[in-house]
Structure formats: structure tokens, C-alpha cells
Amino acid sequence: MPVYKAPLRDQQFVIHELLGAVEALRALPRYAELDAGTVNQVLEEAGRFSEEVLLPLNRSGDEEGCTYDPATRAVRTPAGFVAAFEKFREAGWQGLTAEDEFGGQALPQLLQIAFDEMRCATNQAWTMYSGLTLGAYECLAHTASAAQKALYLPKLASAEWTGTMCLTESHCGTDLGLLRTKAVPQADGSYRITGSKIFISAGEHDFAGNIVHLVLARLPDAPAGTRGISLFIVPKFLPEGSGAQARAGARNGVYCGGIEHKMGIHGNSTCQMVFEDATGWLVGEPNKGLHAMFVMMNGARLGVGVQGLGLTEAAYQNAVAYARERVQGRSLTGPKAPEQAADPIIVHADVRRMLLTARAYAEGGRAFAYWIAVMADQQVHHPDEAQRRFAGDMMALMTPIVKAFLTDNGFFRSSECLQVFGGHGYIREWGMEQLLRDSRINMIYEGTNTIQSLDLLGRKVLSDSGARLTSFGKLVEAFVAEHGTDEDMNEFVTPLADLGDKVRKLTMEIGMKALGNQDEAGAAAVDYLRVVGHLVFAYFWARMAQVALARIAADGARVDAFYPRKLATARFYFQRLLPETAYHIRAARSGAKNLMEFHTDWF
Ligand SMILES: Cc1cc2nc3c(=O)[nH]c(=O)nc-3n(C[C@H](O)[C@H](O)[C@H](O)COP(=O)(O)OP(=O)(O)OC[C@H]3O[C@@H](n4cnc5c(N)ncnc54)[C@H](O)[C@@H]3O)c2cc1C
């Protein structure tokens, strides 16, 4: 059976020792009262919920999946999912970061991200129902009118109602400018929504008394393309009454027309949604819907990156447990378990390579994602405008990297950790093939990882002539300047500084080439994201190595084994994983010609 233990020790290391996150957050008036004890307590409770409530439902949820009843157009989720959601709702988890005026706990984003990591590690399919609800809350909190907020936010923060995002149509996924769903204004200020959406996660289910669909549609006089898209609230049941007292009333004209049978996340309903003159209400300004939806999409992109992180950790933990138990062959340097017929496979160098790869990507990803969570709060709540701007720049620059780098890692590490099981990984019993199947979608939805790469290179780097990247580069340079003369840090600082230099040159080279031919950017983007992702990871791994070295020096022989372990993982990262950048830089520099000279009809 799959195993999982909340990685509390490492989470606390990142939060308290690496990032000094509680101090950083206390500088924000909103969190002036925050203390380390509260943070640790929430982490422990969240870990317990993930281990005890979600993990036991992961396998059964995958095997049973969701079922659709065409007669009632209802969706039933796997056994145990609803009861788990009730526990989650009663404990107030949905409103962890929501404003207190809407019934939330107003805690930092950091705790949400840490919880998301653990609940995705234990049950991604289940977690998505509340993940979409959180996204809908954030979108409405940002864009909706005061009356809409008063009506919907308390229901979403308490998970009495859940949310969805309805963008995709059968002919338009990446290119939302093609969407056709129509919204016709009515005399009473509402709109009639007509059209079909596909692939809508959590579009229909049995978790909640109402489902609040956030729908992109076109007004009759809307301009073509993305400039003519508006955002609407379309609830499954029309609210009766106003404010927090509202109840779910008459059935609206929005139905689930069927669910998809898919590769993974079977416990999450992926719905075709039909809107038949459904009543909806405009959110924000007409034709500015895509902009409003970007609040939800950016939050969801970070959330999907964290799904990748959670699955990397889950795959790692299971592979380590197996590698300690499974005995095959002897160590090349002589038996390590002579009392047994063979040694545990964890003695073999290549098994260790696979385990350490997953470990290094999980721990590096945790440091990166938790830092971004602090930036998310600083961007909105920091009293200093310059720090708000810096945090906003980091959020913009890093969102596509969190999404694509962490989800690529989630899938490829799940695959390698499955390999540790040999043939036993390929069969169902151990749960590894489910992790691999579940992790695959993370590279696709919320904008494919190719689209994230184009966003990074085109919109986040080249469009501001590298200003945001330079801001991050200054953090790297400051770290290099501070620790560059420390001999023990040389093995980390030198390759970090070198990569920073190479990224600068690569960016300029691609930028120059793209001026003459935009395909140059398209051809380089995926390799470029991988290189910049490594720059970010190298920065955090160097910082983690520095904290570990300081503790080892201070505590001597009495040092907690956690720190030598961290240092050894840092060394593995720098020596075995970072060199991947050489390949990607070379591939990115090879240009567009080797792709574009191949005529389309030669394929
Ligand atoms: C399980 C699941 C759940 C989902 N949940 C939701 C949801 O809740 N709400 C929702 O609205 N949608 C949802 N989606 C839809 C998802 O976001 C889209 O599938 C995704 O954005 C890609 O769109 P597409 O499938 O139409 O692929 P396409 O856009 O047709 O892309 C096909 C391929 O072409 C590439 N490509 C496309 N355009 C470009 C370009 N300009 N440059 C380079 N390459 C390009 C893509 O990267 C991809 O590899 C979900 C999908 C799935 C499978």
C-alpha cells in the first residue's frame, strides 16, 4: 500500500531556517500577530488530515472513479469523498486564507501552499474540488461587485458552495480568442448564457449544495478574439435572498452533459457543461473577462505547480520505502546485508541516483514554492511600495516556472521512482502507476508547459528587456558576493554565478535573434524555461547548503543528521542535476532553423 508522511521537518526547515518566513510575514500588518507556534500547529494538523483522511481514499477513488447518471445528469464521486469533504468543511480548512469578513481565517498563503503540497501528495483528485473553489473565491474577491462578494464569498470560504472555471470549448483550449459561448443581456441586468464547455474540473458532483461556475462568454457586440471575452457567474441553483443569508433556490439552465474517461485523477469529475439560456451575472467590466480570469488562472498555475511538488515527494517516499525492503543482487563492493540472501536494492548506485534525483527536486521545489507563497502575500500586503513591486515582479516572472518546472519534475520523477520498483511499479498494487498517471495532467492543464515557456520568455522576460529577470539576478549576485570567499561554499557559489552569467548571455542572444524572427523565441522557449528553472533551484540549493554548513560548524559532532543530509543532497543537485543546463543551453542556441526548415508536408 502507498505510504506518505507529511514532510514536517523539511517544511519547518524551509519556513523557519531558510526563509525566516514568520519574521518576513510579521512585517505585514495583516500578519503582525503571526507566530511560529501557530504555523507549526497548522502544518501538523494539515499533515494529519492528509495522511489520515485523504491518503486512504486515493487508491479507492482512482479505482472507482466518478459516475454519471444521464437520467438525472448527476455525478457521484467515489465512496468516502463526500464524507472527507464534510470533515474538511467542518474544520474550516477551505477558508484558511480567506478574509475574516467573509468567514475565513486570514492566514498566510504560505500555509495554503504547504497544505496543498500535502493534500496533492495524498489525493490530487479530491483536492481539486476545493482547489477550484479557492480559485473562484480569489477571482471574485479581486473583481466582483460588493453585492456579489457579500453573496458568494462566504459560501465559497465555508465550502458550502464550490466553484469551477469554465474556459475550454471543444474547438478552443490554448487559444481562448476562439471561444463562442454567448451572453445576451436581459432587462433585469442579468444575462442569458448559451454554449458548451468541455473538460470542466469539478463541474458537477455531490459535495455541495450549489456550484458556482465562473464562465467566459461573449456579449453580442463583443469584438473578435480575446478582447471580446467577458466573465460571468453562473450558479447551478439561483441564489434566493442576498448577502450571507442567501440560499440555493431554483435550478438554473446549466447541466453536466457527461464526464470524461481519462488517464488519471479518476476521482475528479471532468465534465462537459451545457449552458441552455442559463442565468448569469457579469463580473467586472464587459470584454475584460480574460483579465479577470487571469487572477484565477495565475493562482491555479501556482496550485498546479504545487501538485507537481506533492507528487514528487509522494513518489520519493514510496520509492525509498520499497528500496529499503526489496532485496536483489549484491553491492558491487561486497555484501551489505550478509545475513540476507541478497542486499536491499538501496545499496545500488543507480537506485540511489533515482531516489536522490526525486529528493533533490522535491526539496528544491519546496524551498522555491514556499518563497513564492511569501511573495504572494508581500505583493498585496507589504507596507513598502518598493517591496510590493518587487514581490509582484517575482510572482509574474516565477509563475510559469513554478507551473512548468515543478510539474515536469512531478511526472519524470514519478516515472523514475516507479522504475525503482521494477515490474512491481508497473502493476497497481504499489500505487506508483497511479502517481504517474495522475501527474501527467499537470503538464497540460492551466496552459500547457509549452505555453508557460512562451509566457516566460516572451511576456515575462523579453517584453520588459529582462528587467524582472535582472531583479532576480540581483538576489543571486548578492548571495554570491556574500559567500563567494567562503571556501566551503565554493562548490555551490561558483556554478551558481556561472549559470547566472550564462542565463544573461542566453537571454540576450535569443532576444536579438527573435527581433529578426519570432520563431527563434518559440524554438528556444522550452529549453530556456528549464535553464532558468535550474538557476532558481541552484540559488535555493546554495542557500540551503549555506544554512546546513553553518549548523554543522556550530553544532560539531552533536549536529542533527538533518543538516549533513541536506548538504549531501545539495552536492548531489549541483554535481548531478545542474549539468543538465549545458544540454538545454546548447539546444536553445541551436535556433529555429533545424525545426522550421523541415517542410510541414514532410512529417
Ligand atoms: C483533466 C482535465 C481537466 C481540465 N480542467 C479544466 C477546467 O477546469 N476548466 C477549463 O476551462 N479547462 C480545463 N481543462 C482544459 C485544459 O486547460 C486544456 O486542455 C489545455 O489548456 C490545452 O488545450 P487543448 O486541450 O485544447 O489543447 P490545444 O490548445 O489544442 O493544444 C494542442 C497542442 O498544441 C500546443 N500549442 C497550442 N498552441 C500553441 C502555440 N501558440 N504555440 C506552441 N504550441 C501550441 C499545445 O502546447 C499542445 O501541445 C482540463 C483538461 C483536462 C484534460
Side-chain angles (χ1 to χ4, degrees), residues 165 167-168 173-174 199-201 270 441 445-446 448 450-451 454:
M165 56 193 296
L167 288 67
T168 306
T174 301
F199 296 166
I200 304 307
S201 299
T270 306
I441 186 59
Y445 58 18
E446 284 315 324
T448 64
T450 301
I451 298 304
L454 292 168

Side-chain angles (χ1 to χ4, degrees), residues 1-19:
M1 284 301 284
V3 293
Y4 179 78
K5 273 271 156 231
L8 295 175
R9 179 68 181 91
D10 200 56
Q11 290 175 316
Q12 287 169 0
F13 167 80
V14 169
I15 292 172
H16 302 305
E17 296 176 69
L18 180 73
L19 302 178

